[in-house]
Amino acid sequence: MKLRSMLFVPADSEKKLQKSVASSADALILDLEDSVAESRRPLARRMAAEHLAATCGQRSWKGFVRINPLSTADALPDLAQVVGEGLDGIVLPKADGAADVLRLSHYLDVLEVRAGLSPQSIKVVVVATETAAGMLNLHSYASKPPRLVGITWGAEDLAAALGSISNREEDGELSAAYVQARSGALYAAAAAEAQAVDTLYGDFRDAAGLERDCLLSRRRGFLGRIAIHPDQVDVINRCYTPSEEDIGVARAIVAAFAEAPGTGVVGLNGKMYDRPHLVQAMKTLAQAGLS
Ligand code: COA
Ligand code: MG
């Protein structure tokens, strides 16, 4: 499942739900958590379920729902209402580690039976860095919990958890604790064999800033990004798709190794390439949908 762009849509907004039907995002995340007022949660659950069923089979995106954290009384009603036709995945916020993903997976085992869905068909993307326990337990994702296809991170809830007045230094750079969260998401995703999905870029009118930040993010290893506004989706899709230049370099590396069977290292345009470069070149081609 490709998670290059994941657009958040507050599930209680009829206008935004309609607007996002034609989105070119790889996935929509219908939100039941932070963007929905508590009093509107029952309504949002119904609207999310109806929207997923109504668009099923006629849309290009995967349909995810962000439920409320498992530590709240809302999580089970959220799941009970949205597991059904058209649901492709759950986004689990404020997870304390892989044990939470496993617990969610057990709930989904039962709900899939009730809804007549194939076992294990509903996937999970976890927000792995929003609690202090989640940060300390990032190593737990090496256990490769079931259903997990993506790991993303967030710095806002973590700042509240840590009591930070801001998650940034005076010069605007991310503080060390939050750089650790970003890097931790990369380690956890690689160990879990899941996709690393970068966090949102809040200034949704700044397309140039988003583009710069996405290109840095891709260099770091993220394969996609959260969007919060429809205008961000095309920039994200473009930045996380390997460029013609990237594909050319990757093809040349793969070809150089193919031409020299039994060799562990090749020289190309005055540079040395060995096994890790071959692995990365093959990942780039896979990301571009080439083999
Ligand atoms: N999904 C679908 N449609 C959206 C959207 C979204 N995430 N964000 C904005 N739109 C729509 C608006 O309704 C508006 O529609 P219209 O042209 O029919 O009037 C259009 O896109 C332009 O929106 P704009 O006026 O630029 O933004 P806004 O002030 O209406 O909304 C936000 C700004 C931040 C409130 C909105 O983008 C949003 O709700 N984002 C998602 C928030 C969220 O889910 N947060 C939780 C995860 S962190
Ligand atoms: Mg939050």
Side-chain angles (χ1 to χ4, degrees), residues 8 10 15-16 19 31 35 66 200 204-205 228-230:
F8 262 109
K15 188 171 144 185
K16 290 175 189 168
K19 174 120 185 157
D31 190 25
S35 73
R66 180 168 74 172
L200 60 91
F204 57 84
R205 304 272 183 238
I228 50 161
H229 189 283

Side-chain angles (χ1 to χ4, degrees), residues 33-34 66 94 130 157:
E33 198 211 7
D34 287 345
R66 180 168 74 172
K94 300 184 180 73
E130 288 185 314
D157 289 283

Side-chain angles (χ1 to χ4, degrees), residues 17-278:
L17 287 172
Q18 282 317 317
K19 174 120 185 157
S20 62
V21 170
S23 174
S24 50
D26 291 331
L28 296 195
I29 306 173
L30 310 188
D31 190 25
L32 299 178
E33 198 211 7
D34 287 345
S35 73
V36 177
E38 187 164 0
S39 61
R40 286 175 67 84
R41 255 179 216 141
L43 170 72
R45 286 181 190 121
R46 276 199 304 280
M47 287 174 67
E50 281 169 20
H51 193 70
L52 289 170
T55 53
C56 187
Q58 315 170 38
R59 63 192 200 211
S60 60
W61 38 267
K62 299 289 183 190
F64 280 71
V65 171
R66 180 168 74 172
I67 61 167
N68 284 277
L70 292 183
S71 58
T72 67
D74 280 309
L76 291 180
D78 289 349
L79 284 171
Q81 190 111 19
V82 301
V83 173
E85 196 190 3
L87 180 72
D88 296 300
I90 295 292
V91 173
L92 180 65
K94 300 184 180 73
D96 286 337
D100 278 355
V101 177
L102 188 60
R103 180 145 71 102
L104 170 60
S105 178
H106 291 325
Y107 295 146
L108 292 171
D109 288 343
V110 179
L111 294 169
E112 279 171 343
V113 172
R114 191 191 62 179
L117 302 171
S118 316
Q120 304 287 310
S121 58
I122 298 172
K123 303 303 178 193
V124 173
V125 170
V126 70
V127 196
T129 69
E130 288 185 314
T131 70
M135 285 299 298
L136 295 175
N137 288 329
L138 281 171
H139 64 91
S140 65
Y141 293 101
S143 66
K144 303 188 176 67
R147 302 175 186 271
L148 189 65
V149 293
I151 293 186
T152 186
W153 70 287
E156 274 68 38
D157 289 283
L158 184 60
L162 298 185
S164 307
I165 291 164
S166 168
N167 51 32
R168 298 196 174 264
E169 303 289 290
E170 279 180 339
D171 63 3
E173 290 299 311
L174 216 48
S175 299
Y178 307 92
V179 172
Q180 192 184 341
R182 183 177 72 199
S183 304
L186 281 172
Y187 286 112
E193 293 175 21
Q195 295 168 69
V197 180
D198 209 348
T199 196
L200 60 91
Y201 186 84
D203 189 352
F204 57 84
R205 304 272 183 238
D206 180 11
L210 171 66
E211 174 150 2
R212 266 196 309 278
D213 208 61
C214 288
L215 293 174
L216 279 172
S217 154
R218 194 162 90 75
R219 287 169 69 96
R220 294 181 182 124
F222 287 97
L223 294 179
R225 184 156 207 167
I226 299 288
I228 50 161
H229 189 283
D231 289 353
Q232 295 184 316
V233 170
D234 287 343
V235 176
I236 292 175
N237 282 347
R238 189 172 66 248
C239 290
Y240 290 90
T241 301
S243 65
E244 287 304 319
E245 194 190 336
D246 300 333
I247 292 170
V249 172
R251 279 208 162 114
I253 294 171
V254 170
F257 276 93
E259 280 162 20
T263 321
V265 60
V266 296
L268 205 63
N269 302 326
K271 281 192 200 150
M272 183 205 79
Y273 294 94
D274 60 4
R275 171 114 198 121
H277 301 102
L278 177 62

